[in-house]
PDB file of all heavy atoms in Angstrom:
ATOM      1  N   LEU A 109     -25.873  -3.267  -4.321  1.00 98.00           N
ATOM      2  CA  LEU A 109     -27.143  -3.685  -3.750  1.00 98.00           C
ATOM      3  C   LEU A 109     -27.861  -2.554  -2.989  1.00 98.00           C
ATOM      4  O   LEU A 109     -29.094  -2.526  -2.947  1.00 98.00           O
ATOM      5  CB  LEU A 109     -26.921  -4.918  -2.855  1.00 98.00           C
ATOM      6  CG  LEU A 109     -26.465  -6.162  -3.618  1.00 98.00           C
ATOM      7  CD1 LEU A 109     -26.139  -7.298  -2.661  1.00 98.00           C
ATOM      8  CD2 LEU A 109     -27.514  -6.602  -4.635  1.00 98.00           C
ATOM      9  N   HIS A 110     -27.106  -1.618  -2.404  1.00 98.00           N
ATOM     10  CA  HIS A 110     -27.799  -0.468  -1.785  1.00 98.00           C
ATOM     11  C   HIS A 110     -28.568   0.325  -2.872  1.00 98.00           C
ATOM     12  O   HIS A 110     -29.708   0.705  -2.659  1.00 98.00           O
ATOM     13  CB  HIS A 110     -26.776   0.480  -1.131  1.00 98.00           C
ATOM     14  CG  HIS A 110     -26.214  -0.026   0.188  1.00 98.00           C
ATOM     15  ND1 HIS A 110     -27.027  -0.411   1.215  1.00 98.00           N
ATOM     16  CD2 HIS A 110     -24.954  -0.182   0.617  1.00 98.00           C
ATOM     17  CE1 HIS A 110     -26.263  -0.791   2.265  1.00 98.00           C
ATOM     18  NE2 HIS A 110     -25.005  -0.681   1.898  1.00 98.00           N
ATOM     19  N   GLU A 111     -27.911   0.559  -3.997  1.00 97.00           N
ATOM     20  CA  GLU A 111     -28.593   1.303  -5.087  1.00 97.00           C
ATOM     21  C   GLU A 111     -29.784   0.502  -5.593  1.00 97.00           C
ATOM     22  O   GLU A 111     -30.880   1.027  -5.755  1.00 97.00           O
ATOM     23  CB  GLU A 111     -27.635   1.565  -6.257  1.00 97.00           C
ATOM     24  CG  GLU A 111     -26.554   2.559  -6.037  1.00 97.00           C
ATOM     25  CD  GLU A 111     -25.277   1.990  -5.395  1.00 97.00           C
ATOM     26  OE1 GLU A 111     -25.358   0.856  -4.859  1.00 97.00           O
ATOM     27  OE2 GLU A 111     -24.270   2.643  -5.440  1.00 97.00           O
ATOM     28  N   GLN A 112     -29.602  -0.797  -5.792  1.00 97.00           N
ATOM     29  CA  GLN A 112     -30.701  -1.611  -6.296  1.00 97.00           C
ATOM     30  C   GLN A 112     -31.906  -1.570  -5.324  1.00 97.00           C
ATOM     31  O   GLN A 112     -33.048  -1.624  -5.745  1.00 97.00           O
ATOM     32  CB  GLN A 112     -30.274  -3.085  -6.471  1.00 97.00           C
ATOM     33  CG  GLN A 112     -29.385  -3.358  -7.678  1.00 97.00           C
ATOM     34  CD  GLN A 112     -29.212  -4.872  -7.881  1.00 97.00           C
ATOM     35  OE1 GLN A 112     -30.135  -5.669  -7.741  1.00 97.00           O
ATOM     36  NE2 GLN A 112     -27.972  -5.268  -8.211  1.00 97.00           N
ATOM     37  N   ALA A 113     -31.611  -1.438  -4.023  1.00 98.00           N
ATOM     38  CA  ALA A 113     -32.702  -1.452  -3.028  1.00 98.00           C
ATOM     39  C   ALA A 113     -33.389  -0.077  -2.988  1.00 98.00           C
ATOM     40  O   ALA A 113     -34.480   0.067  -2.394  1.00 98.00           O
ATOM     41  CB  ALA A 113     -32.137  -1.799  -1.634  1.00 98.00           C
ATOM     42  N   GLY A 114     -32.766   0.928  -3.596  1.00 98.00           N
ATOM     43  CA  GLY A 114     -33.410   2.238  -3.628  1.00 98.00           C
ATOM     44  C   GLY A 114     -32.731   3.304  -2.797  1.00 98.00           C
ATOM     45  O   GLY A 114     -33.191   4.449  -2.762  1.00 98.00           O
ATOM     46  N   SER A 115     -31.629   2.982  -2.126  1.00 98.00           N
ATOM     47  CA  SER A 115     -30.911   4.036  -1.384  1.00 98.00           C
ATOM     48  C   SER A 115     -30.304   4.976  -2.390  1.00 98.00           C
ATOM     49  O   SER A 115     -29.848   4.562  -3.439  1.00 98.00           O
ATOM     50  CB  SER A 115     -29.815   3.413  -0.495  1.00 98.00           C
ATOM     51  OG  SER A 115     -30.426   2.657   0.546  1.00 98.00           O
ATOM     52  N   THR A 116     -30.291   6.284  -2.045  1.00 97.00           N
ATOM     53  CA  THR A 116     -29.804   7.254  -3.045  1.00 97.00           C
ATOM     54  C   THR A 116     -28.592   8.046  -2.587  1.00 97.00           C
ATOM     55  O   THR A 116     -27.915   8.630  -3.399  1.00 97.00           O
ATOM     56  CB  THR A 116     -30.929   8.297  -3.315  1.00 97.00           C
ATOM     57  OG1 THR A 116     -31.237   8.933  -2.066  1.00 97.00           O
ATOM     58  CG2 THR A 116     -32.176   7.600  -3.870  1.00 97.00           C
ATOM     59  N   ARG A 117     -28.330   8.071  -1.267  1.00 98.00           N
ATOM     60  CA  ARG A 117     -27.218   8.916  -0.794  1.00 98.00           C
ATOM     61  C   ARG A 117     -26.138   7.996  -0.238  1.00 98.00           C
ATOM     62  O   ARG A 117     -26.125   7.644   0.925  1.00 98.00           O
ATOM     63  CB  ARG A 117     -27.734   9.886   0.248  1.00 98.00           C
ATOM     64  CG  ARG A 117     -28.814  10.844  -0.307  1.00 98.00           C
ATOM     65  CD  ARG A 117     -29.671  11.439   0.785  1.00 98.00           C
ATOM     66  NE  ARG A 117     -28.840  12.135   1.778  1.00 98.00           N
ATOM     67  CZ  ARG A 117     -28.412  13.392   1.586  1.00 98.00           C
ATOM     68  NH1 ARG A 117     -28.709  14.016   0.481  1.00 98.00           N
ATOM     69  NH2 ARG A 117     -27.654  13.957   2.511  1.00 98.00           N
ATOM     70  N   ILE A 118     -25.223   7.580  -1.185  1.00 98.00           N
ATOM     71  CA  ILE A 118     -24.262   6.529  -0.864  1.00 98.00           C
ATOM     72  C   ILE A 118     -22.827   7.042  -1.107  1.00 98.00           C
ATOM     73  O   ILE A 118     -22.554   7.634  -2.149  1.00 98.00           O
ATOM     74  CB  ILE A 118     -24.493   5.288  -1.743  1.00 98.00           C
ATOM     75  CG1 ILE A 118     -25.924   4.753  -1.521  1.00 98.00           C
ATOM     76  CG2 ILE A 118     -23.477   4.179  -1.392  1.00 98.00           C
ATOM     77  CD1 ILE A 118     -26.400   3.822  -2.616  1.00 98.00           C
ATOM     78  N   ILE A 119     -21.998   6.880  -0.120  1.00 98.00           N
ATOM     79  CA  ILE A 119     -20.555   7.229  -0.272  1.00 98.00           C
ATOM     80  C   ILE A 119     -19.803   5.887  -0.397  1.00 98.00           C
ATOM     81  O   ILE A 119     -19.720   5.132   0.570  1.00 98.00           O
ATOM     82  CB  ILE A 119     -20.046   8.011   0.963  1.00 98.00           C
ATOM     83  CG1 ILE A 119     -20.865   9.325   1.136  1.00 98.00           C
ATOM     84  CG2 ILE A 119     -18.553   8.319   0.835  1.00 98.00           C
ATOM     85  CD1 ILE A 119     -20.535  10.076   2.426  1.00 98.00           C
ATOM     86  N   ARG A 120     -19.342   5.613  -1.649  1.00 97.00           N
ATOM     87  CA  ARG A 120     -18.731   4.287  -1.910  1.00 97.00           C
ATOM     88  C   ARG A 120     -17.217   4.365  -1.699  1.00 97.00           C
ATOM     89  O   ARG A 120     -16.447   4.588  -2.609  1.00 97.00           O
ATOM     90  CB  ARG A 120     -18.933   3.841  -3.362  1.00 97.00           C
ATOM     91  CG  ARG A 120     -20.334   3.946  -3.881  1.00 97.00           C
ATOM     92  CD  ARG A 120     -20.301   3.479  -5.325  1.00 97.00           C
ATOM     93  NE  ARG A 120     -21.303   2.413  -5.527  1.00 97.00           N
ATOM     94  CZ  ARG A 120     -21.104   1.170  -5.147  1.00 97.00           C
ATOM     95  NH1 ARG A 120     -19.942   0.827  -4.619  1.00 97.00           N
ATOM     96  NH2 ARG A 120     -22.060   0.292  -5.286  1.00 97.00           N
ATOM     97  N   LEU A 121     -16.779   4.100  -0.453  1.00 97.00           N
ATOM     98  CA  LEU A 121     -15.366   4.293  -0.116  1.00 97.00           C
ATOM     99  C   LEU A 121     -14.437   3.393  -0.941  1.00 97.00           C
ATOM    100  O   LEU A 121     -13.327   3.798  -1.246  1.00 97.00           O
ATOM    101  CB  LEU A 121     -15.123   3.996   1.361  1.00 97.00           C
ATOM    102  CG  LEU A 121     -15.586   5.031   2.363  1.00 97.00           C
ATOM    103  CD1 LEU A 121     -15.187   4.608   3.764  1.00 97.00           C
ATOM    104  CD2 LEU A 121     -15.018   6.429   2.045  1.00 97.00           C
ATOM    105  N   HIS A 122     -14.898   2.186  -1.267  1.00 95.00           N
ATOM    106  CA  HIS A 122     -13.945   1.251  -1.941  1.00 95.00           C
ATOM    107  C   HIS A 122     -14.262   1.015  -3.395  1.00 95.00           C
ATOM    108  O   HIS A 122     -13.673   0.109  -3.993  1.00 95.00           O
ATOM    109  CB  HIS A 122     -13.946  -0.088  -1.152  1.00 95.00           C
ATOM    110  CG  HIS A 122     -13.353   0.049   0.216  1.00 95.00           C
ATOM    111  ND1 HIS A 122     -13.492  -0.912   1.182  1.00 95.00           N
ATOM    112  CD2 HIS A 122     -12.630   1.055   0.764  1.00 95.00           C
ATOM    113  CE1 HIS A 122     -12.865  -0.534   2.271  1.00 95.00           C
ATOM    114  NE2 HIS A 122     -12.342   0.672   2.071  1.00 95.00           N
ATOM    115  N   GLY A 123     -15.129   1.823  -3.983  1.00 96.00           N
ATOM    116  CA  GLY A 123     -15.349   1.737  -5.436  1.00 96.00           C
ATOM    117  C   GLY A 123     -16.512   0.838  -5.795  1.00 96.00           C
ATOM    118  O   GLY A 123     -17.328   0.446  -4.949  1.00 96.00           O
ATOM    119  N   ASN A 124     -16.561   0.482  -7.067  1.00 96.00           N
ATOM    120  CA  ASN A 124     -17.689  -0.235  -7.642  1.00 96.00           C
ATOM    121  C   ASN A 124     -17.185  -1.365  -8.547  1.00 96.00           C
ATOM    122  O   ASN A 124     -16.588  -1.093  -9.585  1.00 96.00           O
ATOM    123  CB  ASN A 124     -18.543   0.763  -8.474  1.00 96.00           C
ATOM    124  CG  ASN A 124     -19.658   0.055  -9.234  1.00 96.00           C
ATOM    125  OD1 ASN A 124     -19.809  -1.183  -9.134  1.00 96.00           O
ATOM    126  ND2 ASN A 124     -20.376   0.798 -10.005  1.00 96.00           N
ATOM    127  N   ILE A 125     -17.400  -2.602  -8.114  1.00 95.00           N
ATOM    128  CA  ILE A 125     -16.811  -3.744  -8.845  1.00 95.00           C
ATOM    129  C   ILE A 125     -17.343  -3.865 -10.252  1.00 95.00           C
ATOM    130  O   ILE A 125     -16.736  -4.477 -11.116  1.00 95.00           O
ATOM    131  CB  ILE A 125     -17.032  -5.072  -8.046  1.00 95.00           C
ATOM    132  CG1 ILE A 125     -16.064  -6.149  -8.539  1.00 95.00           C
ATOM    133  CG2 ILE A 125     -18.493  -5.528  -8.197  1.00 95.00           C
ATOM    134  CD1 ILE A 125     -15.973  -7.336  -7.641  1.00 95.00           C
ATOM    135  N   ASN A 126     -18.513  -3.251 -10.521  1.00 94.00           N
ATOM    136  CA  ASN A 126     -19.092  -3.413 -11.856  1.00 94.00           C
ATOM    137  C   ASN A 126     -18.533  -2.375 -12.824  1.00 94.00           C
ATOM    138  O   ASN A 126     -18.849  -2.373 -14.011  1.00 94.00           O
ATOM    139  CB  ASN A 126     -20.608  -3.298 -11.800  1.00 94.00           C
ATOM    140  CG  ASN A 126     -21.196  -4.473 -11.026  1.00 94.00           C
ATOM    141  OD1 ASN A 126     -20.784  -5.596 -11.244  1.00 94.00           O
ATOM    142  ND2 ASN A 126     -22.093  -4.205 -10.086  1.00 94.00           N
ATOM    143  N   ALA A 127     -17.693  -1.445 -12.308  1.00 95.00           N
ATOM    144  CA  ALA A 127     -17.122  -0.409 -13.192  1.00 95.00           C
ATOM    145  C   ALA A 127     -15.648  -0.762 -13.448  1.00 95.00           C
ATOM    146  O   ALA A 127     -14.974  -1.371 -12.631  1.00 95.00           O
ATOM    147  CB  ALA A 127     -17.229   0.958 -12.526  1.00 95.00           C
ATOM    148  N   ASN A 128     -15.216  -0.372 -14.631  1.00 96.00           N
ATOM    149  CA  ASN A 128     -13.767  -0.580 -15.005  1.00 96.00           C
ATOM    150  C   ASN A 128     -13.156   0.771 -15.376  1.00 96.00           C
ATOM    151  O   ASN A 128     -13.864   1.724 -15.720  1.00 96.00           O
ATOM    152  CB  ASN A 128     -13.694  -1.517 -16.196  1.00 96.00           C
ATOM    153  CG  ASN A 128     -14.077  -2.926 -15.796  1.00 96.00           C
ATOM    154  OD1 ASN A 128     -13.427  -3.557 -14.984  1.00 96.00           O
ATOM    155  ND2 ASN A 128     -15.183  -3.424 -16.363  1.00 96.00           N
ATOM    156  N   LYS A 129     -11.839   0.826 -15.291  1.00 96.00           N
ATOM    157  CA  LYS A 129     -11.178   2.097 -15.639  1.00 96.00           C
ATOM    158  C   LYS A 129      -9.793   1.806 -16.210  1.00 96.00           C
ATOM    159  O   LYS A 129      -9.231   0.708 -16.051  1.00 96.00           O
ATOM    160  CB  LYS A 129     -11.071   2.985 -14.397  1.00 96.00           C
ATOM    161  CG  LYS A 129     -10.147   2.453 -13.295  1.00 96.00           C
ATOM    162  CD  LYS A 129     -10.048   3.472 -12.163  1.00 96.00           C
ATOM    163  CE  LYS A 129      -8.954   3.078 -11.187  1.00 96.00           C
ATOM    164  NZ  LYS A 129      -8.768   4.168 -10.165  1.00 96.00           N
ATOM    165  N   CYS A 130      -9.253   2.806 -16.871  1.00 96.00           N
ATOM    166  CA  CYS A 130      -7.862   2.673 -17.384  1.00 96.00           C
ATOM    167  C   CYS A 130      -6.926   2.601 -16.197  1.00 96.00           C
ATOM    168  O   CYS A 130      -7.038   3.398 -15.258  1.00 96.00           O
ATOM    169  CB  CYS A 130      -7.532   3.915 -18.233  1.00 96.00           C
ATOM    170  SG  CYS A 130      -5.764   4.075 -18.586  1.00 96.00           S
ATOM    171  N   SER A 131      -5.997   1.661 -16.220  1.00 97.00           N
ATOM    172  CA  SER A 131      -5.103   1.484 -15.062  1.00 97.00           C
ATOM    173  C   SER A 131      -4.156   2.673 -14.902  1.00 97.00           C
ATOM    174  O   SER A 131      -3.501   2.846 -13.880  1.00 97.00           O
ATOM    175  CB  SER A 131      -4.287   0.200 -15.175  1.00 97.00           C
ATOM    176  OG  SER A 131      -3.626   0.169 -16.435  1.00 97.00           O
TER     177      SER A 131
END
Side-chain angles (χ1 to χ4, degrees):
L109 295 174
H110 284 308
E111 289 87 344
Q112 285 189 41
S115 292
T116 59
R117 298 159 57 81
I118 302 162
I119 301 172
R120 312 179 125 281
L121 285 183
H122 292 165
N124 173 3
I125 199 167
N126 294 316
N128 291 297
K129 67 176 190 173
C130 166
S131 53

